[in-house]
C-alpha cells in the first residue's frame, strides 16, 4: 500500500543513491525491473531513512552522511567504500580568466567559487588549499557541486574546485593542479538491514566485488578506484 | 479649468476618463512586466530548440508531466476545500488571538522547502507525530506516495490561497450577504450564490497562485514524498535531476512546465474572470 | 397576524428601545427624522440585527428572544427588505436579481425568470434592461429592481426602506399602488414622503431618538404626533396648556375654546391647515382668534406654511395665492384663528 | 418561520447574524488550521531545545539573519514599487492580449527555483542577455552580490504581490475614484488617498505574501547570487547547509526564521489592517 | 458664465444627444423619467463620461471636444457632484470625507477639518458623527455628508443628483436653502421632487429618451413641457387644436376661448390647478366650460389630481376637501372650466 519498495517481500530492491550518481545508476540498473533507484541529496536520503522510509540499499556521496545514517540506526549493514572522486581546478571553456594553477585562486580580480565547507567537496577544497598555502579570494560557497559547475560553465565564475566527474559532464576546461591529486571523496554503499536478503546483497556486491559491473560503470564514468 | 490634455480622438475605445492611470505609473508597470519577462526570454534564448523534440519525447518527461498535473491539481483542490473555510474563519469569525493566528497561517511560506518537507516528515512520516498513528491504525503511510506529494504541495500552497481570499472577504463586507438572507438564502446558498461570486477575482487569483505554487513545488515534495518515477517524480524533480546530468534537458523540461502553466492559466483563469 | 416588537437593539453608543409595538397587517408607515432608528427597527424585524434584550414575535412565533436563547435567522423569517442602499447583486443580471428569492424558495430557473419578468414589468423596468447587470441601469431603474426583488418571494413581512426616493413621479404612483396591493401580510414602509403616509399607510409609527414617539392611524398620529419633528412633518400644531371644562389656558395666557371637556395639563393639537389667517380681527363664530407675529413663510409648491409667534407658536398652511393676497411678510402682525371642532385634546 | 435556532444568549458580543458561517464550514476551517500547524508542531517537537542557545548564538546565524532581513525587505520593497504599477496596468488598462499577459505574470511562480535562478543567470549574469551590457557599460555585475540576492528574491516574489493586488483592484471598481476626481483629486492623489486605502486588506496580504516568499526563498537566490557569508548567505541557505552537517541545527535555524516571520507579521501586518 | 453642452454621449446601446444646451448661472433643474439620461448628462459635465462627438464648454473654456482632441480631466474642471449612490469614502471618517476636496485644493489638515465641520453643521450632521466612518451613519445622515463633501471645495459647477431623496422633511427645507444659496456659480439639480423645481429652479431642462424635450423657466416649461411625462410631472395640460383669432378648436370639437391671437395648429397649455370642477354648469365669466367624464382621482396629500376624459383629456388639481365635497368618483359626469387668462398658446 505504502512505500517505494517493500524489499524482500516482493523481491524488489530499493536503492537510495546520491543524486550525483543519477546517470551512472540509470545505466547500471538499465533493464533490471526489480531494482528501483531513488535519488536525492545524501543528507535528504538519510533524513528520509530516519523518518521511516523503506529502502534496502543506501549509497551516499560521502562518509559523514553514511556515518550519520549508521549512528541513527537507520543503516545496520557495514558501509563499504566503492569509489572516489577527485577534485580538479575547473574553468569555463576557453579559460577566460587565464587560470594557470591553484595559486591563481587568490587573485582578487578573478571570480572564484568553492563548495561550502559543510559539504564534502567544500571540506576537501579547504584541506587542499590550506595544504598548498593558498588563501583563495572566494566569491561564493556553493552548497552543492552542481550549482558550482553551472556557474562555471555559464562563465559567471572564472574558476572553481569541483569533482572530476562533474567537470567532465559539464564540459568544463580543467587546469592541471598537482596539489589536488591526493584530495578525494569517497562513495559508500551499505545495506539498510543487518541481514540483507540475497537479492539485496547481490545489488551491493555489484559495486563492492572486484570487476563487478556496477563498479566498472563508476570507473568508466570518471570516478576513481578506491 | 487649466491645461487641457490632448488625447487620442477615439473616445469609443477610450477607457472611462476617471480610471486613467498616472502616466509614469503605466511606464513602471510595463517596465515591471519587461523585467519579469527578461529571465523567461533568457531561458527561451538558451533553450536547446533542436534537441527539444527528442528530450520531450522521452517517456520519463511525459510521465513526470502526468504526475505533476495530478499532484498540482489535487493539491489545488485540497487548498480550495481546506482554504476557503479557513479564509472565512479568519475573515468573519471573532477569534481569540486574531493577529497571531493570521500570522501563523503564513508560516509554511517562510520555511525553506527542504525544512518544510522535513517538518512534514516529523508530523506525518511513519515515525511522525501523527503519522505513526495513521500507520498503525489505518495502515496509511504518506511518504513516498502520490498522496504524500499532494500533501506536501498543498502544505506549501495553502497559505497563498488563504491569504488572498481572506483579504477579498474583508474588502467585500457583508452587505450583500445580508440582502441574500432577507431573500431566504441560508448560509450555504448565500455562500454559493452571493459571497463567492462577489470575490470571484480573488478566488481565481488565489486558485491560480496555489496551483502555480504547487506545480513549481520541489523541495518539500522531494524531501517528504521522495522521487519515484510515475508516482512522486514531478516535472520540477525531473528538471532537478536533469540538471545533474544534462542542463540543456533541464531547460527544455522547464519550458514544458511553463507551456503547461500558460495553457492552463490562459484557458481556465479567464473563463472564471471575464472582463 | 401581528409583528410584536418589544425590546432593545444596541449599537455602539446608540440604542433603539421599542416597548410593546404591535404592527398589524396592512401598510404601516414608519416615520421620523434622519437617524432616529427607522432602518434599525426594520433590520431587527428582518433578523439582520439582534435584540440585546426583549422579544420579537412575527405572526405568533418568537423570532428573537435573547433571554430564551431563541433567534430565527433572517432567511427563515419570510421577511424581505428593500434596502435604503439597494444592495443589488452586482454579479447577477437584473432578471436573476429578481429571481434570486424565488430560486432560493425552490423554483426552477425558467419558472423563476418568468415570474421575475412579470414583476419587473409591474415595477416598470423595460425588458431591454433584464439581461444587464445592475451597474448598467439608471438610479431609478435600480430602485425599481430592488423593489421587484423583495416582492418576488412573496414575503410575509415586507420592509421597504424609502423605496420611492429616486423613482420618478409617474413611477411613484404606480409603485405605490403595487405596495398597497402587495400580497405581503405586513408592509413596513419607512418613508420621508408625506404622500406615502397619506395615500398608503393604514397605521403610522413615529420614531424619535430611538424610541416610539407616537403610533396609530394617520389621523391619530397627526393629532398626537409625539415630537416636534413629526408634528411639522404631519403639519400639526401641538400647544401645551391647562384645561378647565371646554377651555384651555395656554402657557402664554391665551384661552382657547375646545369641543371636548378635560381637566389638568393637556396638549391642544390641531392641523396647520385648520388655522386661518386674517388681516383684521375675524368676525363670526371662530372664538379662538388671537394676534400673532409672522415669523417665517415657507413656500412649498402651491402651499405656503406660515410660522407664527406670539402667545402660541403655531404653524398655519394657506394657499400660495392667499399668501400673496395677504402679502404675508415676516414681521407682520396678523390675526389667526381656528374652529373649536378642529381640535384634539391629548392628556 | 420554522425551526428557531438556539444560540448563546450573549448578543452583545455576537457577530451580526447574517455573517454567521455554516457550521461545518467553521469546522473545516479549524481543521485546516490544525493541518497547517501540524508540521510546525512536528518541527517544534523535534527542536533541540537545550542546544538552541548555543546554535543561535553562533555569529554565522546572526549574520545570515541580517542578510535575510535586508534581502527580503529590499525584495519586498522592489515588489511594491514594481508590482503596484503592474497590477494597475493589468487591472485597469485595456491590453492587447489580456489573458496571455496575465498568465505570463505568473510564470516565475511555476519555475522550479533552481531553474528560475538559471534563467536569471541567462538574463542578468555576466554573460547574460542584458547582464553582459550591464557589465561592460556600467561595470555592474549582479551575481555574487547582495543586490543579486534581492533581484532573485524579488523575481520569485513579484507575481504573488501582483496577482493579489490586481484581483482586489478588479473587485473594488472605480466608483470611488470617480468621486475623488470630481473633488479635485488628480490621478496620483486618487491613488494615494482613495484607491490604495480601499484595497488595503489586499495590499497588506500581497505584501505579506511577497515578503514571506522572499524570506523563505532559497533555490533561485542560491543559483543566481551564490552563497557568501555576510553577503548572500541568507537564513534558508544557512539552514540548507546545516542540514548537511547537523540536522538539529537546521531545525533550530528554521525556528529562528519562523520566529522572525511571526514577529514581523504580527506587529506589522495588523497595524495596516485594523479590524 | 455658462455651461454649453452640444454633443453626444454614447453608451452601449444607448445615447444621450444634447443639441446646444446653455446652462446659465444659478440653479437649473434637470427633470425627466427614470433612465432618460439625467445622470449621464451630469457625468459628462463633470468629466466622468466623454463626449463621443460635439463640444462641451464650461465658463468659456472648452472642457471636452473630441474632434479637437481636447479633454479636461474631471479633477481640473472645478465641477463637484453629489452622486445618486453617494459614493462616500468608506475608509475615511465623516469629517475627512468632507475635508477631502479641501485637502486636495491645498488646505492643511486642521484648516480643512475646521471648514468641514462648519459645513457638516450646516447640513445638519451632529458632531458626534464626525469621527465615525460613513458605514456607521443612517441613510439620511450619509446623504447629508455627501452634500457637504461636494460643497466643500466651492466648485464652479455643482451637480446634485437627487440630493434630498432620503433626507427627512425638515432637513429638506434646510438643504434646499443651502443649495439655493450655494456659492457655486451653477447648480445642476437633478430631481424627481416637484417642490425642488418649484422652490429652487431658475431654469428647468426636461430630458426625454436621451434628448432635451424642453427647457426654459419653470413657467415656460410648464407651458410647453415637451413630453407627456413632464406634463404630468409639472401638472400641465397640453391640448392640441387649431387656432382662429382668439379661439381654438380642439380635435374633439370643443371651442376654447384664449387670451392670445393665433392661427393654424397650436397647443393650448394650462396648469392642472387652473381647472375648476363643478357639479352643475358653471355660471359667470368662464366661457371655457365643458362636460367631462371623470376617469380617475389620485389623492396626493391635501391635493387631489382628477383625470378627465370627454372632448379633451385634461387633469384638474383640486383640494382634497373639495374632492370630498364634490364626491368625486370615477364614472361621474362633471363640468370643468378654466379662465382664458390662464392659457398659454404654443405654436
Ligand atoms: N452600461 C450601460 N449599458 C447600457 N445602457 C446603460 C448603461 N448604463 C446606463 N445605461 C442606460 O442609460 C440610460 C440613462 O441612464 P441615466 O443614469 O443617465 O438615467 P437617469 O436619467 O439618471 O435616470 P434615473 O432617474 O433613474 O436616475 C438608462 O436608460 C440606462 O439604462
Ligand atoms: N455602527 C454604528 N455605530 C454607532 N452608531 C450607529 C452605527 N450605525 C448606525 N448608528 C446610528 O444609529 C442611529 C439609527 O440609524 P438608522 O439607520 O436606524 O436611522 P434611520 O432612522 O433609518 O435614519 P435615516 O432616515 O437617515 O435613514 C443613527 O443615529 C446612526 O448614527
Ligand atoms: Mg434609514
Ligand atoms: Mg440618475
Amino acid at each position: 500500500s505504502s512505500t517505494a519498495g517493500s524489499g524482500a517481500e516482493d523481491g524488489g530492491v530499493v536503492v537510495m543513491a546520491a543524486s550525483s550518481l543519477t546517470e551512472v545508476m540509470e545505466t547500471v540498473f538499465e533493464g533490471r525491473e526489480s531494482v528501483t533507484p531513488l535519488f536525492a541529496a545524501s543528507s535528504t536520503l538519510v533524513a528520509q531513512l530516519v523518518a521511516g522510509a523503506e529502502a534496502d540499499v543506501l549509497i551516499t556521496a560521502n562518509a559523514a552522511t553514511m556515518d550519520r545514517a549508521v549512528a541513527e540506526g537507520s543503516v545496520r549493514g557495514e558501509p563499504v567504500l566503492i569509489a572516489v572522486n577527485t577534485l580538479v581546478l575547473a574553468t569555463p571553456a576557453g579559460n577566460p580568466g587565464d587560470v594557470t594553477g591553484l595559486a591563481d585562486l587568490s587573485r582578487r580580480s578573478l571570480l572564484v567559487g568553492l563548495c561550502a565547507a559543510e559539504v564534502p567537496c567544500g571540506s576537501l577544497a579547504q584541506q587542499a588549499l590550506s595544504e598548498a598555502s593558498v588563501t583563495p579570494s572566494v566569491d561564493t560557497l556553493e552548497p552543492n557541486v552542481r550549482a558550482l559547475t553551472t556557474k562555471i560553465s555559464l562563465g559567471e565564475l572564472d574558476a572553481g574546485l569541483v569533482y572530476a566527474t562533474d567537470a567532465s559532464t559539464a564540459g568544463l576546461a580543467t587546469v592541471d593542479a598537482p596539489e589536488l591529486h591526493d584530495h578525494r571523496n569517497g562513495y559508500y554503499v551499505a545495506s539498510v538491514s543487518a541481514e540483507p536478503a540475497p537479492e539485496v546483497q547481490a545489488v551491493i556486491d555489484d559495486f563492492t566485488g572486484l570487476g563487478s559491473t556496477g563498479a566498472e560503470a563508476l570507473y568508466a564514468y570518471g570516478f576513481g578506484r578506491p | 479649468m487649466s491645461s487641457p490634455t490632448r488625447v487620442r480622438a477615439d473616445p469609443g475605445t477610450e477607457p472611462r476618463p476617471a480610471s486613467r492611470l498616472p502616466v509614469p505609473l503605466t511606464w513602471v508597470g510595463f517596465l515591471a512586466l519587461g523585467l519579469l519577462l527578461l529571465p523567461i526570454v533568457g531561458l527561451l534564448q538558451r533553450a536547446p530548440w533542436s534537441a527539444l523534440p527528442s528530450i520531450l519525447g522521452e517517456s520519463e518527461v511525459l510521465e513526470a508531466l502526468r504526475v505533476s498535473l495530478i499532484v498540482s491539481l489535487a493539491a489545488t483542490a485540497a487548498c480550495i476545500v481546506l482554504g476557503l473555510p479557513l479564509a472565512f474563519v479568519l475573515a468573519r469569525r471573532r477569534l481569540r488571538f486574531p493577529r497571531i493566528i493570521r500570522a501563523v497561517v503564513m508560516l509554511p511560506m517562510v520555511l525553506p522547502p527542504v525544512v518544510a518537507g522535513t517538518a512534514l516528515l516529523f508530523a506525518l512520516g511513519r515515525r511522525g507525530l501523527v503519522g505513526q498513528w495513521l500507520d498503525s491504525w489505518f495502515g496509511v503511510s504518506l511518504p513516498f506516495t502520490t498522496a504524500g506529494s499532494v500533501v506536501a504541495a498543498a502544505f506549501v500552497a495553502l497559505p497563498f490561497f488563504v491569504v488572498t481570499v481572506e483579504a477579498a472577504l474583508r474588502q467585500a463586507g457583508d452587505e450583500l450577504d445580508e440582502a441574500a438572507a432577507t431573500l431566504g438564502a441560508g448560509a450555504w446558498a448565500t455562500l454559493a450564490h452571493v459571497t463567492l461570486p462577489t470575490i470571484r477575482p480573488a478566488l481565481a487569483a488565489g486558485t491560480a497562485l496555489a496551483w502555480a505554487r504547487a506545480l513549481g513545488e520541489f523541495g518539500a515534495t522531494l524531501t517528504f514524498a521522495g522521487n519515484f518515477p510515475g508516482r512522486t517524480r514531478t516535472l520540477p524533480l525531473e528538471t532537478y535531476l536533469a540538471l545533474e546530468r544534462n542542463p540543456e534537458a533541464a531547460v527544455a523540461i522547464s519550458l514544458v512546465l511553463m507551456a503547461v502553466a500558460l495553457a492552463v492559466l490562459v484557458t481556465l483563469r479567464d473563463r472564471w474572470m471575464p472582463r | 397576524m401581528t409583528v410584536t416588537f418589544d425590546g432593545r437593539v444596541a449599537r455602539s453608543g446608540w440604542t433603539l428601545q421599542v416597548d410593546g409595538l404591535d404592527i398589524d397587517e396592512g401598510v404601516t408607515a414608519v416615520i421620523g427624522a434622519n437617524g432616529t432608528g427607522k432602518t434599525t427597527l426594520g433590520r431587527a424585524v428582518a433578523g439582520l440585527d439582534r435584540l440585546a434584550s426583549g422579544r420579537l414575535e412575527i405572526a405568533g412565533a418568537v423570532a428573537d428572544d435573547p433571554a430564551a436563547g431563541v433567534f430565527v435567522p433572517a432567511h427563515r423569517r419570510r421577511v424581505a427588505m428593500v434596502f435604503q442602499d439597494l444592495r443589488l447583486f452586482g454579479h447577477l443580471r437584473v432578471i436573476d436579481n429578481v429571481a434570486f428569492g424565488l430560486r432560493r424558495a425552490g423554483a426552477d430557473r425558467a419558472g423563476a425568470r418568468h415570474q421575475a419578468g412579470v414583476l419587473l414589468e409591474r415595477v416598470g423596468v423595460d425588458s431591454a434592461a433584464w439581461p444587464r447587470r445592475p451597474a448598467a441601469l439608471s438610479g431609478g431603474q435600480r430602485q425599481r429592481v430592488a423593489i421587484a426583488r423583495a416582492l418576488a418571494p412573496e414575503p410575509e413581512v415586507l420592509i421597504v426602506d424609502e423605496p420611492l426616493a429616486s423613482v420618478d413621479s409617474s413611477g411613484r404612483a404606480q409603485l405605490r399602488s403595487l405596495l398597497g396591493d402587495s400580497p405581503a401580510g405586513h408592509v413596513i414602509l419607512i418613508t420621508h414622503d408625506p404622500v406615502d403616509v397619506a395615500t398608503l399607510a393604514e397605521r403610522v409609527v413615529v420614531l424619535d431618538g430611538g424610541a416610539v414617539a407616537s403610533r396609530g392611524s394617520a389621523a391619530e398620529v397627526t393629532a398626537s404626533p409625539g415630537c416636534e419633528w413629526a408634528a411639522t412633518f404631519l403639519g400639526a400644531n401641538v400647544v401645551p396648556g391647562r384645561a378647565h371644562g371646554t377651555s384651555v389656558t395656554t402657557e402664554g395666557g391665551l384661552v382657547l375654546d375646545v369641543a371636548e371637556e378635560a381637566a389638568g395639563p393637556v396638549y391642544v393639537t390641531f392641523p396647520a391647515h385648520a388655522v386661518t389667517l386674517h388681516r383684521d380681527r375675524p368676525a363670526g363664530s371662530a372664538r379662538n382668534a388671537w394676534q400673532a407675529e409672522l415669523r417665517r413663510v415657507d413656500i412649498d409648491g402651491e402651499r405656503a406654511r406660515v410660522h407664527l409667534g406670539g402667545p402660541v407658536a403655531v404653524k398655519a398652511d394657506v394657499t400660495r395665492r392667499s399668501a400673496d393676497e395677504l402679502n404675508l411678510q415676516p414681521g407682520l402682525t396678523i390675526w389667526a384663528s381656528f374652529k373649536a371642532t378642529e381640535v384634539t385634546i391629548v392628556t
Side-chain angles (χ1 to χ4, degrees), chain A, chain B, chain C:
Chain A
S1 65
S2 53
T3 60
S6 28
E9 286 162 41
D10 57 12
V13 180
V14 177
V15 179
M16 281 184 155
S19 46
S20 52
L21 298 173
T22 308
E23 195 148 347
V24 196
M25 291 297 160
E26 279 175 356
T27 325
V28 172
F29 299 129
E30 181 89 65
R32 287 168 70 174
E33 297 296 330
S34 62
V35 176
T36 307
L38 295 176
F39 303 104
S42 303
S43 54
T44 302
L45 294 175
V46 172
Q48 289 173 340
L49 270 182
V50 170
E54 288 186 4
D56 302 299
V57 177
L58 174 68
I59 306 177
T60 66
N62 60 63
T65 43
M66 183 58 85
D67 291 348
R68 199 190 312 147
V70 172
E72 293 273 359
S74 299
V75 163
R76 304 246 165 77
E78 186 66 25
V80 180
L81 180 66
I82 52 172
V84 293
N85 211 346
T86 323
L87 280 188
V88 294
L89 174 56
T91 70
N95 193 0
D98 288 327
V99 180
T100 55
L102 207 55
D104 280 344
L105 295 188
S106 57
R107 260 163 54 195
R108 313 211 97 230
S109 60
L110 281 189
L111 284 171
V112 172
L114 298 177
C115 284
E118 286 83 352
V119 293
C121 73
S123 54
L124 275 186
Q126 245 179 18
Q127 281 173 30
L129 288 166
S130 69
E131 275 176 27
S133 304
V134 174
T135 310
S137 139
V138 178
D139 292 281
T140 182
L141 296 165
E142 299 289 317
N144 60 60
V145 198
R146 185 68 250 162
L148 187 52
T149 45
T150 303
K151 289 196 179 68
I152 298 173
S153 73
L154 288 176
E156 297 297 338
L157 290 171
D158 297 313
L161 298 183
V162 301
Y163 291 128
T165 49
D166 295 292
S168 79
T169 9
L172 303 181
T174 54
V175 175
D176 189 41
E179 304 95 316
L180 295 175
H181 289 328
D182 295 335
H183 295 281
R184 325 166 127 204
N185 179 45
Y187 283 72
Y188 292 84
V189 67
S191 154
V192 169
S193 103
E195 285 132 21
E199 56 270 36
V200 173
Q201 190 59 51
V203 169
I204 294 174
D205 289 346
D206 202 8
F207 291 102
T208 55
L210 216 56
S212 49
T213 53
E216 287 307 323
L218 285 171
Y219 308 151
Y221 193 71
F223 288 100
R225 295 171 191 269
Chain B
M1 289 296 324
S2 57
S3 62
T5 321
R6 302 228 144 227
V7 293
R8 275 193 293 138
D10 180 14
T13 60
E14 278 290 328
R16 282 176 161 192
S19 64
R20 269 187 29 245
L21 298 172
V23 176
L25 194 93
T26 312
W27 293 341
V28 177
F30 282 112
L31 174 73
L33 190 62
L35 288 180
L36 210 53
L37 282 181
L38 196 59
I40 290 164
V41 172
L43 214 54
L44 289 178
Q45 190 212 17
R46 298 285 180 105
W49 295 106
S50 58
L52 211 55
S54 74
I55 292 170
L56 303 185
E58 281 176 30
S59 66
E60 285 175 27
V61 172
L62 293 179
E63 191 148 39
L65 175 60
R66 190 179 60 83
V67 175
S68 254
L69 285 177
I70 291 174
V71 168
S72 63
L73 291 176
T76 308
C79 283
I80 294 173
V81 169
L82 294 171
L84 257 186
L86 183 50
F88 270 94
V89 165
L90 292 179
R92 297 276 164 94
R93 288 255 327 182
R94 268 166 217 237
L95 297 170
R96 207 165 266 269
F97 304 106
R99 293 152 163 251
I100 295 175
I101 293 181
R102 262 177 235 131
V104 157
V105 167
M106 303 187 69
L107 286 187
M109 294 180 53
V110 301
L111 287 179
V114 183
V115 177
T118 310
L120 280 169
L121 281 176
F122 287 163
L124 297 171
R126 265 213 309 174
R127 313 252 171 96
L129 205 57
V130 170
Q132 55 187 315
W133 306 114
L134 284 182
D135 195 27
S136 64
W137 290 353
F138 309 108
V140 172
S141 173
L142 288 172
F144 315 111
T145 62
T146 308
S149 297
V150 173
V151 167
F155 179 66
V156 293
L158 186 55
F160 295 95
F161 183 84
V162 172
V163 170
T164 308
V165 173
E166 191 215 338
L169 283 173
R170 280 163 180 272
Q171 186 177 327
D174 63 358
E175 281 79 11
L176 295 181
D177 296 5
E178 289 188 349
T182 64
L183 294 167
W188 285 113
T190 302
L191 201 70
H193 299 291
V194 176
T195 321
L196 296 185
T198 301
I199 60 165
R200 195 166 57 163
L203 273 185
T207 307
L209 286 180
W211 181 70
R213 183 75 186 80
L215 186 67
E217 169 40 40
F218 150 70
T221 317
L222 172 63
T223 308
F224 182 60
N227 168 27
F228 189 84
R231 201 188 295 158
T232 58
R233 183 178 294 175
T234 57
L235 269 185
L237 283 177
E238 187 74 35
T239 316
Y240 176 78
L241 291 175
L243 271 175
E244 292 288 335
R245 80 198 121 115
N246 178 0
E248 291 209 329
V251 170
I253 299 171
S254 299
L255 292 184
V256 180
L257 207 55
M258 287 202 296
V260 170
L262 210 58
V264 172
L265 292 173
V266 167
T267 53
L268 282 191
R269 196 179 158 207
D270 274 75
R271 172 156 310 173
W272 306 333
M273 212 163 105
R275 189 28 144 160
Chain C
M1 286 196 308
T2 317
V3 174
T4 308
F5 196 122
D6 184 25
R8 196 164 54 85
V9 182
R11 292 253 172 98
S12 57
W14 191 88
T15 310
L16 172 73
Q17 173 79 51
V18 174
D19 297 317
L21 177 68
D22 287 328
I23 301 174
D24 293 328
E25 287 191 8
V27 179
T28 303
V30 177
I31 61 172
N34 287 139
T36 49
K38 303 180 294 299
T39 299
T40 308
L41 178 72
R43 287 176 55 86
V45 173
L48 299 178
D49 281 337
R50 279 174 182 234
L51 295 189
S53 65
R55 188 183 171 89
L56 170 72
E57 282 180 27
I58 300 176
V62 178
D64 195 351
D65 184 343
V70 176
F71 178 78
V72 179
H75 66 278
R76 294 233 187 80
R77 289 194 185 184
R78 298 189 46 82
V79 176
M81 184 152 180
V82 178
F83 291 85
Q84 205 166 0
D85 53 356
L86 305 188
R87 306 195 181 182
L88 295 178
F89 301 126
H91 64 286
L92 292 181
R93 296 165 188 283
V94 161
I95 186 110
D96 291 329
N97 263 277
V98 179
F100 187 90
L102 298 165
R103 296 280 281 149
R104 299 292 86 71
D108 64 1
R109 175 185 289 224
R113 282 200 174 158
H114 173 77
Q115 235 176 305
V118 171
L119 270 165
L120 280 169
E121 232 152 45
R122 270 208 257 160
V123 297
V125 175
D126 199 81
S127 65
W130 299 359
R132 290 196 220 145
R133 316 272 153 187
L137 295 190
S138 79
Q141 289 167 336
R142 265 178 240 170
Q143 195 153 29
R144 291 163 192 255
V145 175
I147 294 172
R149 185 179 73 167
L151 285 170
E154 305 200 341
E156 199 122 352
V157 182
L158 177 66
I159 300 166
V160 283
D161 200 349
E162 303 186 29
L164 308 178
S166 54
V167 171
D168 62 38
S169 49
S170 60
R172 248 174 238 199
Q174 180 188 3
L175 292 174
R176 251 182 220 127
S177 72
L178 197 65
L179 290 175
D181 301 346
S182 154
H186 306 74
V187 176
I188 298 180
L189 173 66
I190 301 173
T191 184
H192 287 299
D193 189 342
V195 180
D196 288 344
V197 178
T199 56
L200 279 180
E202 295 160 47
R203 246 155 295 102
V204 181
V205 174
V206 180
L207 288 186
D208 186 35
V212 174
S214 176
R215 63 186 95 170
S217 71
E220 284 164 357
V221 168
T222 307
S224 168
C227 67
E228 174 64 23
W229 184 89
T232 314
F233 180 83
L234 298 162
N237 288 301
V238 185
V239 177
R242 180 164 281 276
H244 27 85
T246 57
S247 45
V248 175
T249 311
T250 69
E251 286 168 356
L254 186 69
V255 178
L256 299 175
D257 271 12
V258 295
E260 300 166 57
E261 287 207 20
V266 294
Y267 290 96
V268 181
T269 71
F270 47 95
H273 59 78
V275 179
T276 324
L277 300 182
H278 321 260
R279 277 264 160 189
D280 307 306
R281 180 175 195 116
S285 65
R287 271 202 52 196
N288 294 319
W290 70 97
Q291 255 190 318
E293 191 201 334
L294 205 161
R295 289 266 166 80
R296 198 172 91 226
V297 180
D298 292 341
I299 305 290
D300 190 358
E302 287 306 310
R303 192 184 65 169
R305 170 158 292 176
V306 184
H307 298 256
L308 303 172
V312 286
V314 154
K315 294 169 286 283
D317 282 356
V318 298
T319 62
R320 195 168 171 178
R321 213 160 267 211
S322 47
D324 289 346
E325 281 165 16
L326 290 167
N327 190 19
L328 296 181
Q329 297 294 341
L332 194 74
T333 301
I334 198 164
W335 282 89
S337 71
F338 60 88
K339 278 162 69 178
T341 49
E342 307 244 24
V343 164
T344 313
I345 297 294
V346 188
T347 49

